[in-house]
Amino acid sequence: MGREVWFSEWQTDDVKLSLRVKAVLWEEKTPYQELLVVDTDAYGRVLILDGAIQTTERDEFVYHEMIAHVPLSIHPRPRRVAVIGGGDGGAIREILKHPEVEEAHLVEIDERVIAASRRFFPAIAAGLDDPRVTIHVTDGIRWVAEEARDFDVIIVDSTDPVGPAENLFGEPFYRSVAAALGPDGILVAQSESPLLEPELVRRVQRGLRAVFPVVSLYTAAVATYPTGLWTFGFGSKGPRPPRPRPDVARFATRYWTPAVQEAAFVLPPMVEELTR
Ligand code: AG3
């Protein structure tokens, strides 16, 4: 019998998600984290950082479409957009579908994530060479505080709130993001599973409320993330969710549509209570 190799993400001490591995494509200890790329039958190629699944070929579109199109379709004219984290390039690829976008900045602390994505996930990294894109390999907290001004949309596509991303989940960072946004500016930040991390979801909502006049939350179903139900915090200086503006461009998507977006802001009580 052939040998079976499995990758398991320990989602909690008591729960793991295991994928049978066809091949280990890359393994590296970067200055910031353990980076692993495996190929699987179930989800295609999978990018894993410090043991946590970030991106799979089969379901990445859900998360990347929802983190990008929601703020970009609500902002009246998103010309300057930044992604904090998101070194795989998936959010950038979606942002570039909006013809209003003139500049898309990727601010990734770990250059090795970008390199691995270019090499093993060319379809996800595809947008990174677009002339509208500028890549900044630096600490997102420092970049937002010192270099970012007059952005229309800032997207926080971070890892879990442990390790390098820890300080991306809190009021001080959101304050600094607000200062880097123009008058109609919108911040969207991935905010983890409401079933597994209710206190984190609450903390993000509280932090956003302390800074932004318009605050909300929406969900999406991401198969390979813990519990499958994922949240995104939404903070805005003016534009209100959930509706996309009527003139939003048409482009191909597999999860996001204007109707899905509106529905994504309708919250089950167990999620709604985390926004109060
Ligand atoms: N960033 C969110 C990943 C969180 C997943 N957590 C986990 N598997 N424990 C994804 C980056 C994709 N651009």
Side-chain angles (χ1 to χ4, degrees), residues 9 52-55 63-64 88 157-158 160 190 225-226 230:
E9 172 173 344
I53 294 176
Q54 301 300 314
T55 300
Y63 176 92
H64 290 134
D88 54 35
D157 180 9
S158 69
D160 296 339
Q190 78 90 354
Y225 290 172
W230 212 248

Side-chain angles (χ1 to χ4, degrees), residues 131-152:
R132 289 172 287 171
V133 175
T134 307
I135 297 176
H136 310 261
V137 176
T138 186
D139 176 9
I141 293 178
R142 186 202 65 75
W143 185 83
V144 168
E146 293 173 16
E147 293 183 41
R149 287 293 164 268
D150 281 325
F151 275 85
D152 299 311

Side-chain angles (χ1 to χ4, degrees), residues 199-271:
E199 280 319 309
L200 192 273
V201 176
R202 260 190 228 283
R203 183 175 138 207
V204 169
Q205 290 291 302
R206 260 193 229 116
L208 291 173
R209 275 204 307 273
V211 173
F212 291 96
V214 177
V215 174
S216 192
L217 178 157
Y218 62 97
T219 65
V222 185
T224 54
Y225 290 172
T227 78
L229 181 62
W230 212 248
T231 66
F232 300 85
F234 179 102
S236 155
K237 293 191 178 176
R240 290 184 170 275
R243 263 211 190 129
R245 57 177 196 283
D247 65 337
V248 73
R250 283 168 185 269
F251 40 75
T253 53
R254 292 168 67 209
Y255 189 94
W256 180 89
T257 67
V260 166
Q261 172 166 319
E262 284 194 55
F265 284 89
V266 179
L267 304 179
M270 54 104 27
V271 182

